[in-house]
Amino acid sequence: MHIRPRTAARATALATVLTLTLALPAGALAVPASADSASGAVTGRGTSPDVAALRAALAGLPNGDATAALVRVGGTDGVWRGSAGVHDLASGRAADPDARFRVGSTTKAVTAAVVLQLAAEGAVDLGRPARHYLPDLIPSTYAHVTVRQLLNHTSGIPAAAGTGTTFEEWYTHRFDLHSPRATVASATAEPPEFAPGTRQHYLNINYTVLGLLIERITGHSYERETTRRVFAPLGMRNTYFPGTDPDIRGPHNRGYQAVARADGTTEYRDVTVWGTTDTWAAGAMISTTADLERFLTALFRGRVVPEPQLEEMFTVPADVPDATMSAGLERYVTDDGTELWLKSGGRWGYNTLIAATRDLSRTLVYSVNSTDAKGQGLNPVAARIVRAAFTL
């Protein structure tokens, strides 16, 4: 199963803070044996989750691919909860199954939901150019880009300027502060990648613009609106936006990045503390698997976005070649023809996925503390979880 890679971090200004760095030989993730086993429970009727496959997917953690994994499989066919790995490499104590984590681009599903709520209220016309709502921000070069094209990544607006192409460069700038307006100005100063609506290119910039649109329409901050419209009504008490705070508040498992050294060893660098103002409405959210599962099921049941706007989240543009993304979600069809709707996300040290069949017969939410969360393709541990959850 292929999950599209996330856009790399962007940066503008510097701050400082200390983080823990652990240097270990390649493959030497030594932890107590008790932290190596997955825990889980299953209930439900129908085609229940394959418990053996799910346990096998989490076996052996921590390893070179991931230090921890938290999994919730749900739906009308049955329920399974599991966790494996460690809270941190230094202590080796078991991972906290209720931990908070960075969800990365899974944030976009929430941003899309708020925009679609505004459309349902008549405050936003999805077919109208975004420049109509943000004339001081969107230049005439992008006068024909519609709100819908931002939602489904067919706008043609290029990525904003970044600060590097390697992990070490991004690590150096991990506490830089970013202004959404400056990010949009940087991107829209460049010529379009393509004519709006003719191609699909997944980029954070589309959802940065949408975050600013939410603020302009409502007169409130993006953070306030997402809390008022989504988190509070659904009881997502462990979900929040950190703003300029680079820490994860509350209980959380540490995240690490594997860094190759010249002598052939691997350094597992602690990347838990990392600023997220670069992604904001496109990827800064912090949550838990329980909260994300609550959001996923409520969303698909029409409790977050009403019809007909909800159909935007299950509609891939038909006239765009090779399109897979809708408003806030992505469509994937398994080898046996099962249609899944999902959203993945990655921040350094953390990979996240929410996925479900349209009828909610099977749902999946995971957080995998990947040691290469920004790598190309799907993390091996995450791939095993997906295959086990959907019996691929």
Side-chain angles (χ1 to χ4, degrees):
M1 181 177 183
H2 171 70
I3 305 295
R4 192 176 299 266
R6 274 69 58 193
T7 304
R10 316 285 184 227
T12 55
L14 182 66
T16 58
V17 75
L18 295 176
T19 59
L20 171 67
T21 297
L22 293 174
L24 301 173
L29 292 179
V31 296
S34 61
D36 185 63
S37 60
S39 61
V42 63
T43 61
R45 298 179 179 178
T47 308
S48 296
D50 187 335
V51 176
L54 286 163
R55 288 183 178 276
L58 300 189
L61 296 185
N63 60 23
D65 296 317
T67 58
L70 316 177
V71 181
R72 297 176 74 91
V73 178
T76 56
D77 285 348
V79 175
W80 186 84
R81 308 285 183 253
S83 64
V86 294
H87 169 271
D88 64 280
L89 293 178
S91 72
R93 64 187 174 91
D96 181 350
D98 301 316
R100 294 175 178 177
F101 50 85
R102 303 189 190 283
V103 310
S105 287
T106 307
T107 304
K108 292 182 178 68
V110 172
T111 302
V114 173
V115 173
L116 293 174
Q117 284 183 4
L118 292 172
E121 295 164 8
V124 172
D125 182 342
L126 301 182
R128 178 166 282 183
R131 192 168 189 258
H132 172 79
Y133 303 102
L134 299 166
D136 55 324
L137 186 67
I138 306 298
S140 59
T141 309
Y142 295 96
H144 300 296
V145 172
T146 68
V147 176
R148 180 176 285 108
Q149 289 165 346
L150 292 169
L151 283 165
N152 63 27
H153 300 278
T154 60
S155 70
I157 301 176
T163 58
T165 58
T166 68
F167 167 74
E168 292 295 353
E169 289 171 331
W170 288 316
Y171 185 77
T172 298
H173 293 278
R174 65 194 183 282
F175 302 121
D176 287 7
L177 299 178
H178 308 258
S179 159
R181 292 184 66 89
T183 298
V184 173
S186 169
T188 55
E190 301 298 322
E193 286 191 333
F194 49 83
T198 62
R199 287 173 50 196
Q200 190 172 70
H201 186 187
Y202 180 87
L203 289 173
N204 284 344
I205 190 63
N206 294 294
Y207 277 70
T208 301
V209 176
L210 290 172
L212 291 168
L213 182 145
I214 290 169
E215 293 193 330
R216 180 64 58 84
I217 296 298
T218 65
H220 301 139
S221 72
Y222 167 79
E223 294 81 1
R224 175 177 171 179
E225 283 301 298
T226 52
T227 299
R228 183 177 74 85
R229 291 172 172 270
V230 181
F231 306 159
L234 298 183
M236 297 170 64
R237 296 180 180 85
N238 290 300
T239 303
Y240 73 100
F241 283 91
T244 59
D245 185 358
D247 290 302
I248 300 175
R249 300 197 302 265
H252 58 278
N253 301 315
R254 309 297 294 186
Y256 299 88
Q257 172 69 21
V259 181
R261 307 168 95 182
D263 63 0
T265 60
T266 299
E267 172 192 346
Y268 291 91
R269 191 176 303 177
D270 191 322
V271 291
T272 308
V273 183
W274 197 301
T276 57
T277 56
D278 58 327
T279 52
W280 190 51
M285 194 167 76
I286 290 172
S287 191
T288 63
T289 55
D291 273 8
L292 290 180
E293 184 180 60
R294 187 174 292 113
F295 169 72
L296 178 65
T297 55
L299 178 68
F300 280 44
R301 287 172 178 162
R303 291 177 48 214
V304 181
V305 177
E307 293 285 1
Q309 287 73 27
L310 181 60
E311 283 305 308
E312 295 283 341
M313 303 193 82
F314 299 104
T315 303
V316 173
D319 55 348
V320 177
D322 302 317
T324 61
M325 287 163 286
S326 61
L329 298 175
E330 182 171 2
R331 181 176 181 264
Y332 178 81
V333 180
T334 67
D335 292 340
D336 67 359
T338 300
E339 183 181 71
L340 305 179
W341 293 92
L342 57 90
K343 188 69 197 80
S344 61
R347 292 291 306 187
W348 298 106
Y350 304 90
N351 279 137
T352 303
L353 180 77
I354 59 174
T357 55
R358 180 73 188 270
D359 64 0
L360 291 175
S361 58
R362 179 60 48 84
T363 67
L364 169 65
V365 176
Y366 70 60
S367 170
V368 173
N369 289 53
S370 170
T371 59
D372 190 19
K374 288 289 187 177
Q376 299 296 307
L378 192 60
N379 174 274
V381 176
R384 293 199 300 269
I385 294 169
V386 172
R387 287 195 297 268
F390 294 104
T391 59
L392 302 180

